[in-house]
Amino acid sequence: MIELVQQKNLAIGSEEAIRSLQTKELAKMLVISDSHGNPHILQSIISSFGDSCDGIAFCGDGLLDLVETLELSFFDEDFATHFPPVLYFVRGNGDNSTATIFTDKRIPITVPEFQEFTVANKKIFLTHGHRYNVYYGIKDLRAETISRNCDIVWYGHTHVPNSQRSHVTKGKQDNFLGILNPGSCAQARGGMPNTFAIVDVHADEEKNVCLYYRISWDRYGEPVFSIMPTPCGEIKLF
């Protein structure tokens, strides 16, 4: 269950929950992006997977969907039990820079262009990606992440799921950079299905395990989630 308070680092959640997420040995993160006006699918994902996760990272383009979902967590006690206690989120190219959550009061929130935060002692860079030419590849995004001394980057914008593990050399030390795009949960591209990802972030391991889920619909129009192979490799849409 999430506390609807925006902290100084612009995460939503209690200070205690944020501190706990930083120091866990293993943290499970629900990574979602590009809902583009479909709050129902966002809420369905959280209802199905949120209570098994320690936090959510939303990669942008669906701010109003996210706000509506946060409001639902206030008014619907059952849904609230599924909402993880920490939310990190960023502004997509289609989002505003501010928003208001309406509960029994108005809660104004600032929507960051990017976020840097720690999960299980790993430093994560969260961005939508449109400022780094990700339609043409991840060279600029990779360079920016390395310059920020982050271990992992999560991004959206392309609507194409992608997971890579990139080798990084700093001086005499060899490291690995985790790069992940969860795809779009509502408007897939590139012949891919609508998707999202759940990432296990380990404090003592370089490799983080991710599971991608394909979204389809049953005969009654309800979403069905199924595990799919992890999509790897360079993505270039143009």
Side-chain angles (χ1 to χ4, degrees), residues 46 59 125:
I46 293 171
C59 304
F125 178 42

Side-chain angles (χ1 to χ4, degrees), residues 107-193:
I107 305 173
I109 58 172
T110 299
V111 187
E113 293 289 338
F114 65 88
Q115 287 268 262
E116 288 184 21
F117 55 95
T118 300
V119 172
N121 292 316
K122 296 292 178 65
K123 190 175 179 184
I124 297 173
F125 178 42
L126 182 69
T127 181
H128 186 58
H130 59 295
R131 297 183 181 277
Y132 302 103
N133 301 309
V134 292
Y135 280 168
Y136 301 93
I138 59 169
K139 179 181 178 181
D140 293 345
L141 179 64
R142 181 181 183 277
E144 179 70 16
T145 306
I146 293 170
S147 74
R148 293 175 179 272
N149 292 312
C150 289
D151 305 296
I152 296 167
V153 57
W154 294 333
Y155 72 105
H157 190 52
T158 65
H159 295 210
V160 179
N162 180 34
S163 178
Q164 298 184 43
R165 188 166 179 255
S166 177
H167 183 263
V168 178
T169 301
K170 294 183 179 180
K172 296 182 178 180
Q173 187 174 4
D174 288 337
N175 296 307
F176 290 92
L177 173 66
I179 304 165
L180 181 137
N181 186 325
S184 170
C185 64
Q187 295 183 8
R189 294 178 185 151
M192 300 297 292

Side-chain angles (χ1 to χ4, degrees), residues 87-101:
L87 168 66
Y88 286 99
F89 63 108
V90 292
R91 188 176 79 86
N93 57 296
D95 294 328
N96 293 328
S97 58
T98 60
T100 302
I101 302 170

Side-chain angles (χ1 to χ4, degrees), residues 21-234:
L21 187 61
Q22 292 172 348
T23 57
K24 282 180 174 289
E25 289 298 313
L26 168 62
K28 191 178 292 288
M29 295 293 292
L30 180 56
V31 187
I32 314 174
S33 192
D34 293 277
S35 56
H36 285 280
N38 193 334
H40 175 66
I41 192 61
L42 192 59
Q43 293 158 17
S44 295
I45 293 169
I46 293 171
S47 292
S48 298
F49 298 93
D51 55 2
S52 66
C53 294
D54 300 294
I56 296 178
F58 186 76
C59 304
D61 270 359
L63 172 63
L64 295 182
D65 307 328
L66 188 61
V67 166
E68 184 174 325
T69 301
L70 288 166
E71 291 171 349
L72 182 63
S73 75
F74 179 83
F75 291 107
D76 186 326
E77 292 184 3
D78 179 64
F79 180 73
T81 64
H82 298 285
F83 207 115
V86 179
L87 168 66
Y88 286 99
F89 63 108
V90 292
R91 188 176 79 86
N93 57 296
D95 294 328
N96 293 328
S97 58
T98 60
T100 302
I101 302 170
F102 290 94
T103 59
D104 56 348
K105 58 184 178 181
R106 295 166 58 95
I107 305 173
I109 58 172
T110 299
V111 187
E113 293 289 338
F114 65 88
Q115 287 268 262
E116 288 184 21
F117 55 95
T118 300
V119 172
N121 292 316
K122 296 292 178 65
K123 190 175 179 184
I124 297 173
F125 178 42
L126 182 69
T127 181
H128 186 58
H130 59 295
R131 297 183 181 277
Y132 302 103
N133 301 309
V134 292
Y135 280 168
Y136 301 93
I138 59 169
K139 179 181 178 181
D140 293 345
L141 179 64
R142 181 181 183 277
E144 179 70 16
T145 306
I146 293 170
S147 74
R148 293 175 179 272
N149 292 312
C150 289
D151 305 296
I152 296 167
V153 57
W154 294 333
Y155 72 105
H157 190 52
T158 65
H159 295 210
V160 179
N162 180 34
S163 178
Q164 298 184 43
R165 188 166 179 255
S166 177
H167 183 263
V168 178
T169 301
K170 294 183 179 180
K172 296 182 178 180
Q173 187 174 4
D174 288 337
N175 296 307
F176 290 92
L177 173 66
I179 304 165
L180 181 137
N181 186 325
S184 170
C185 64
Q187 295 183 8
R189 294 178 185 151
M192 300 297 292
N194 295 339
T195 56
F196 63 94
I198 295 178
V199 184
D200 288 346
V201 183
H202 293 265
D204 298 323
E205 295 184 22
E206 289 183 337
K207 186 176 182 180
N208 298 297
V209 176
C210 65
L211 282 179
Y212 276 87
Y213 287 83
R214 175 196 311 267
I215 305 169
S216 56
W217 283 264
D218 64 19
R219 59 185 296 185
Y220 303 105
E222 292 301 315
V224 176
F225 308 111
S226 55
I227 295 174
M228 61 178 281
T230 299
C232 302
E234 182 74 4

